[in-house]
Amino acid sequence: MELITEIEAMREGSRRWHRQGETVALVPTMGAFHAGHLALMRRARELASRTVVSIFVNPLQFGPHEDLSRYPRRLEADLQAAQAMGVDVVFAPSEAVMYPAGEETARVEMGRIAQVLCGRFRPIHFNGVATVVAKLFHIVEPDWAVFGQKDGQQVAIVRKLVRDLNFPVAIEVVPTVREASGLAMSSRNEYLSADERLKAAGLYAALREAEERFRAGERERQALVSVVETALAARGIEPEYVELVDADELRPAPEQLVPGRYLLALAAWVGQARLIDNVVLEVAATA
Ligand code: AMP
């Protein structure tokens, strides 16, 4: 496995593979690998003959009072884990390499979809994500890029980025990897104490209650959202939001669900960690 830190070396490596008839799958990450990241790497290896994992803690996607400085960084352990997964290249550029223009760098503006759900509380976050993903697509020129469903809004935004700006990249989404408790794996779980971890498992438990009501036939948006809110309150969790939106455009679902794919998504603070989770609800078209 090779570690690349410069843009030209990364692009040349990928172009050489393509000239030799190989295909490339990219897994963008911020490092501090857990089993969720490894599942993305496994999927990338199934899709393409070459796998590139990027590790870059992107300052553009952190707000001024967020956790950029304390976000976990452990390149050595990550390199070992990536190698064990059969990754071909880890691309880990510095901030100076990615943003030589600093604050004056050009940015991608995603519009409304970046300002709803988490975007209400993190207004610069998704434009920062879209900017770095666009750069990584230009640098690596992958055939596929693999993302996790845990970040459901990010998936919708990356799909829109590819569609609207015509990137020749296929987007692949991997289901959320969870701990035995149901807690979605996240680098930010490291901020939790043992007690807080138990509490944090309540996020998914609440979503599951609504999922069961949905399976039992509930089709009212507000009823499903209320199930989650009540279940969170019973566990002493006050969410930033609980919303049911259509999975592509992230617009509020109709009061009475019609056939389509919906995201039941939430964010909540537990201790020092801002956690997110979601489940997908699909209403089949009736014959
Ligand atoms: P991050 O390093 O947190 O930016 O995440 C990098 C990629 O891993 C993103 O596509 C995430 O959606 C994905 N990811 C993070 N946690 C999980 C998880 N628990 N299950 C599946 N994918 C995940």
Side-chain angles (χ1 to χ4, degrees):
M1 191 186 76
E2 198 181 349
L3 169 63
I4 296 181
T5 57
E6 299 296 328
I7 288 170
E8 277 317 311
M10 182 67 250
R11 183 179 279 138
E12 187 40 47
S14 176
R15 288 191 175 172
R16 194 177 326 112
W17 283 334
H18 279 124
R19 282 196 298 276
Q20 293 163 353
E22 303 218 60
T23 53
V24 178
L26 169 67
V27 181
T29 81
M30 299 204 298
F33 293 157
H34 50 66
H37 297 111
L38 304 187
L40 268 54
M41 295 178 210
R42 202 169 295 120
R43 185 71 189 118
R45 287 206 60 195
E46 290 168 0
L47 289 167
S49 61
R50 297 290 182 175
T51 298
V52 176
V53 174
S54 62
I55 299 178
F56 181 61
V57 182
N58 174 34
L60 248 57
Q61 68 190 66
F62 287 79
H65 305 294
E66 293 184 356
D67 55 345
L68 175 62
S69 61
R70 69 181 175 127
Y71 196 85
R73 289 165 173 87
R74 37 168 187 269
L75 185 60
E76 273 312 311
D78 286 350
L79 291 176
Q80 283 181 20
Q83 177 146 28
M85 290 303 296
V87 167
D88 295 282
V89 166
V90 167
F91 176 55
S94 67
E95 272 185 38
V97 161
M98 285 296 268
Y99 297 117
E103 268 301 308
E104 298 192 352
T105 194
R107 291 154 210 255
V108 176
E109 163 61 51
M110 294 300 301
R112 178 197 55 83
I113 199 169
Q115 303 306 319
V116 299
L117 302 179
C118 284
R120 271 168 52 210
F121 304 90
R122 308 185 74 192
I124 67 161
H125 175 67
F126 292 107
N127 289 331
V129 169
T131 301
V132 80
V133 168
K135 286 172 68 71
L136 290 168
F137 286 180
H138 284 309
I139 294 165
V140 180
E141 298 181 339
D143 302 282
W144 282 275
V146 185
F147 294 86
Q149 180 58 40
K150 199 211 79 175
D151 298 86
Q153 186 168 11
Q154 176 169 280
V155 166
I157 281 171
V158 170
R159 285 194 194 283
K160 182 173 171 62
L161 174 75
V162 163
R163 201 163 59 231
D164 290 2
L165 298 187
N166 310 99
F167 282 95
V169 180
I171 302 303
E172 179 76 8
V173 179
V174 170
T176 303
V177 177
R178 300 180 180 281
E179 296 186 358
S181 67
L183 175 62
M185 294 211 177
S186 164
S187 306
R188 290 192 168 97
N189 292 349
E190 294 180 23
Y191 304 156
L192 300 171
S193 68
D195 281 351
E196 288 166 349
R197 252 173 203 259
L198 283 178
K199 187 174 176 186
L203 269 56
Y204 185 54
L207 290 170
R208 282 290 300 271
E209 283 189 29
E211 200 175 32
E212 272 163 34
R213 283 280 285 278
F214 175 79
R215 288 217 186 101
E218 180 63 72
R219 292 292 182 270
E220 258 189 50
R221 178 187 71 199
Q222 191 48 49
L224 291 163
V225 167
S226 294
V227 169
V228 179
E229 288 172 340
T230 305
L232 290 174
R235 292 169 170 83
I237 300 171
E238 204 181 308
E240 270 188 347
Y241 70 84
V242 179
E243 286 191 52
L244 183 58
V245 297
D246 81 82
D248 295 326
E249 296 293 336
L250 310 183
R251 292 185 193 280
E255 188 45 52
Q256 193 68 34
L257 298 189
V258 296
R261 242 176 129 249
Y262 300 94
L263 200 63
L264 182 54
L266 61 79
W269 284 89
V270 178
Q272 298 294 303
R274 183 180 183 280
L275 303 176
I276 57 173
D277 205 345
N278 68 79
V279 292
V280 174
L281 304 180
E282 281 199 73
V283 180
T286 43

